[in-house]
Amino acid sequence: MALTMIRLLCFAALMSFPGLEGHDHSGLLGHSDRSAKKGQTTGSFTVTVTNKLANTVVSYPANADGMPMFGVLNKLQDTTDFTFTYSVHNSYGIFLESVNGLAGSTVNKTYWELLSKKGKKTTRLDVGIGCYQPNKNEVFIMNFTSWA
């Protein structure tokens, strides 16, 4: 119940952000050069896309600028060859569907697993890209894998 409420609150908070309904997502928190609000994480980190099934890894340098991961991914999409698609679910918020043209599939039992690596410790995230706040020097990992 508590996790569902957190997801709903994160989803509701993002609905007021400009750019969700259009293609220009760079305005999620105003100008990208705006300082982060007090208490929010800023700093550089890495976004890594791994495909466990094909044994591939691609990394992108990123900067949080106080944005949730959804904003960071939109900024990467606007400035690099990184691409992603998502859908918005009433119960779960923003759901990551594909990364760099590769989508999860219920038929193939594949999905995008979200992980965070801080130092030598890697953990599976319990929130999605709409709520997750990246930290300085971490590696945010989107891992294409199977539940089979």
Side-chain angles (χ1 to χ4, degrees):
M1 175 81 169
L3 188 56
T4 300
M5 288 304 295
I6 291 170
R7 287 180 180 146
L8 289 173
L9 289 172
C10 289
F11 175 69
L14 282 172
M15 291 311 294
S16 63
F17 285 41
L20 276 178
E21 62 281 337
H23 290 87
D24 179 18
H25 301 289
S26 59
L28 284 173
L29 282 182
H31 303 291
S32 61
D33 60 345
R34 181 182 292 175
S35 298
K37 294 179 182 178
K38 187 176 181 180
Q40 290 183 330
T41 303
T42 60
S44 60
F45 66 102
T46 303
V47 173
T48 298
V49 178
T50 63
N51 182 335
K52 184 177 179 182
L53 307 176
N55 201 26
T56 60
V57 178
V58 179
S59 293
Y60 303 89
N63 196 309
D65 289 334
M67 290 183 273
M69 202 63 218
F70 179 72
V72 173
L73 296 180
N74 276 294
K75 188 174 175 182
L76 278 177
Q77 186 163 250
D78 291 344
T79 59
T80 68
D81 63 346
F82 172 83
T83 61
F84 79 109
T85 62
Y86 63 92
S87 58
V88 179
H89 294 267
N90 290 337
S91 297
Y92 301 109
I94 299 171
F95 180 76
L96 182 64
E97 291 185 341
S98 74
V99 176
N100 292 340
L102 183 60
S105 164
T106 54
V107 172
N108 296 325
K109 298 181 180 178
T110 55
Y111 70 104
W112 284 99
E113 176 184 38
L114 303 179
L115 305 166
S116 173
K117 183 175 180 182
K118 297 172 186 165
K120 294 181 181 184
K121 184 178 180 184
T122 301
T123 57
R124 180 177 289 139
L125 300 182
D126 59 1
V127 296
I129 60 174
C131 293
Y132 187 71
Q133 290 285 125
N135 295 296
K136 185 177 181 178
N137 299 324
E138 99 173 77
V139 178
F140 177 81
I141 303 166
M142 292 177 286
N143 181 41
F144 190 73
T145 190
S146 174
W147 71 79

